[in-house]
Amino acid sequence: MSIDIEYLLLLQRFRENIHDGLTPFMEWISLFAVTYLIMIPVFVYWAIDKEKGLYTLVSYYLCCGVNAMVKLTACVNRPWIKDQRVIPAGDAITTATGYSFPSGHTTTAGPIYGALAVASWSWKKIISIFLILLILITGFSRNYLGVHTPQDVLMGLFEAFLAVYLAKKLFTYLKKHPEKENIFLIISFVIGWLGIAYITFKPYPMDYKNGKLLVDPQKMMNDGYGDTCLLIVYPIARYIEKKWIKFKSTGIKNFRVLISLIGLIPLFMMIRWMKAPLDKLMGSHWGHFCYSFIVVLYCVALYPLIIKLTTSKNNTSSDTKMTNCEENITVTSIQDSVALTIKSPQEIV
């Protein structure tokens, strides 16, 4: 018996001995990573710091896009398919939708928590340390729930580290050479479409047991289409935003925070309910693709346009009030000066 399976069985016995006491928490930490975690960097991008939010999103898009191609190249089966003694905990198997290697949950949580940790380091180191712990807990949760081997998680952590590192280097370079950004956007766009072609036409293993197909490659490709799309849609959304929208978010301002919080409501609804109808309408491959396309376009370009329009109106209103106030002060000062001038010398004394 291999060491990785032995490790999972050890965790499985521990779960049974404590009557799945930790299972709900581990399921929640895993589920949060691949559903609502993305809302945090989106909020940072909209309301707090555009550059740091964008850096986190780019780290995530890069990691997920690359991971899709690695996962569909390796085509490693899940632990319970390798060894039937491995029984995933709770409902964890329902979110284990693709091949096993590397861990998709880790390559989602890793770049988001990791990039936010890097962005927070100079401000609050304790927050960065907490975020790094969340990466490790998320990775461990995949082992604990019995849906990934240790090597799946370790490779996911490596990809996450690489994505955060490369994105940081890229942003540092583009600060000095902003005119070069379009080149990288084009490269990402082309790689994304090449990735779609690759995962569509490459051969996949067709393993049968008792006349039944163990793993359907067509189902395994669903997440690949959605994740590879990130490399395609981000360049489009980013170009639209930097060319025509050019919204700003620096420092916390109450009105912009409010507008950003409101914008998270449609995003939550999209994450929660949009994927299934798109899959039904367009097929699971292109449904996943269109889901990612719509969500990224909304986050990076469309809602920032709404933020710009609403905050500019608010700023205009504030500027008008300030101007009126300054005019009233000026008029009052002039009236006081005139009144003082026409007073007689005796009055002044």
Side-chain angles (χ1 to χ4, degrees), residues 57-76:
L57 290 173
V58 167
S59 299
Y60 164 67
Y61 297 151
L62 175 62
C63 192
C64 287
V66 170
N67 183 64
M69 287 179 265
V70 173
K71 189 183 282 273
L72 291 172
T73 298
C75 296
V76 176

Side-chain angles (χ1 to χ4, degrees), residues 325-341:
C325 181
E326 291 173 350
E327 289 176 353
N328 290 336
I329 293 173
T330 303
V331 170
T332 302
S333 299
I334 293 173
Q335 289 175 342
D336 291 343
S337 300
V338 171
L340 183 62
T341 303

Side-chain angles (χ1 to χ4, degrees), residues 78 100 104 107-108 143 195 203 215 217 226 245 250 256 278 314 349:
R78 292 281 178 168
S100 190
T107 53
T108 298
N143 294 153
V215 178
I245 300 173
T250 304
R256 189 172 61 236
L278 286 174
N314 184 63
V349 174

Side-chain angles (χ1 to χ4, degrees), residues 224-277:
Y225 268 72
D227 290 343
T228 308
C229 174
L230 300 174
L231 300 176
I232 296 169
V233 63
Y234 172 73
I236 297 172
R238 172 58 183 157
Y239 184 80
I240 292 171
E241 193 284 319
K242 77 186 188 76
K243 180 71 174 179
W244 292 293
I245 300 173
K246 302 176 184 176
F247 92 107
K248 292 179 172 58
S249 68
T250 304
I252 300 175
K253 294 184 179 179
N254 292 339
F255 184 74
R256 189 172 61 236
V257 167
L258 176 62
I259 294 297
S260 299
L261 287 172
I262 292 172
L264 292 179
I265 297 173
L267 179 58
F268 173 86
M269 295 172 68
M270 284 188 274
I271 293 170
R272 187 75 176 83
W273 292 295
M274 189 172 69
K275 188 177 289 184

Side-chain angles (χ1 to χ4, degrees), residues 107-336:
T107 53
T108 298
I112 294 178
Y113 288 135
L116 289 173
V118 171
S120 304
W121 185 257
S122 60
W123 175 54
K124 288 283 187 181
K125 290 182 174 59
I126 189 66
I127 294 178
S128 298
I129 294 170
F130 175 70
L131 292 169
I132 292 170
L133 287 175
L134 286 176
I135 298 174
L136 299 177
I137 293 171
T138 303
F140 174 72
S141 73
R142 306 311 289 160
N143 294 153
Y144 184 86
L145 294 171
V147 291
H148 278 292
T149 60
Q151 56 265 37
D152 297 341
V153 172
L154 288 174
M155 184 60 182
L157 290 173
F158 173 74
E159 287 182 357
F161 170 79
L162 192 62
V164 170
Y165 175 78
L166 291 177
K168 185 65 175 177
K169 288 292 185 181
L170 175 63
F171 272 64
T172 301
Y173 176 80
L174 291 179
K175 264 191 174 182
K176 299 177 181 178
H177 308 281
E179 73 282 357
K180 302 288 187 181
E181 184 176 4
N182 286 349
I183 296 174
F184 289 96
L185 295 180
I186 292 170
I187 291 172
S188 175
F189 183 82
V190 171
I191 290 175
W193 279 116
L194 290 175
I196 290 290
Y198 170 71
I199 66 176
T200 301
F201 298 110
K202 72 172 289 293
Y204 289 90
M206 303 291 286
D207 299 322
Y208 289 85
K209 185 174 183 180
N210 299 325
K212 183 180 178 181
L213 183 63
L214 288 176
V215 178
D216 185 355
Q218 293 301 314
K219 292 182 179 179
M220 299 299 102
M221 290 162 60
N222 290 340
D223 289 339
Y225 268 72
D227 290 343
T228 308
C229 174
L230 300 174
L231 300 176
I232 296 169
V233 63
Y234 172 73
I236 297 172
R238 172 58 183 157
Y239 184 80
I240 292 171
E241 193 284 319
K242 77 186 188 76
K243 180 71 174 179
W244 292 293
I245 300 173
K246 302 176 184 176
F247 92 107
K248 292 179 172 58
S249 68
T250 304
I252 300 175
K253 294 184 179 179
N254 292 339
F255 184 74
R256 189 172 61 236
V257 167
L258 176 62
I259 294 297
S260 299
L261 287 172
I262 292 172
L264 292 179
I265 297 173
L267 179 58
F268 173 86
M269 295 172 68
M270 284 188 274
I271 293 170
R272 187 75 176 83
W273 292 295
M274 189 172 69
K275 188 177 289 184
L278 286 174
D279 284 355
K280 188 174 182 179
L281 179 67
M282 308 186 69
S284 55
H285 291 174
W286 292 107
H288 277 59
F289 183 97
C290 289
Y291 167 80
S292 293
F293 195 97
I294 293 169
V295 169
V296 174
L297 194 63
Y298 173 81
C299 294
V300 177
L302 297 183
Y303 201 74
L305 175 61
I306 295 174
I307 293 173
K308 180 179 180 180
L309 293 175
T310 52
T311 54
S312 62
K313 287 180 181 179
N314 184 63
N315 291 337
T316 301
S317 176
S318 300
D319 291 343
T320 301
K321 290 179 181 178
M322 183 63 72
T323 302
N324 291 338
C325 181
E326 291 173 350
E327 289 176 353
N328 290 336
I329 293 173
T330 303
V331 170
T332 302
S333 299
I334 293 173
Q335 289 175 342
D336 291 343

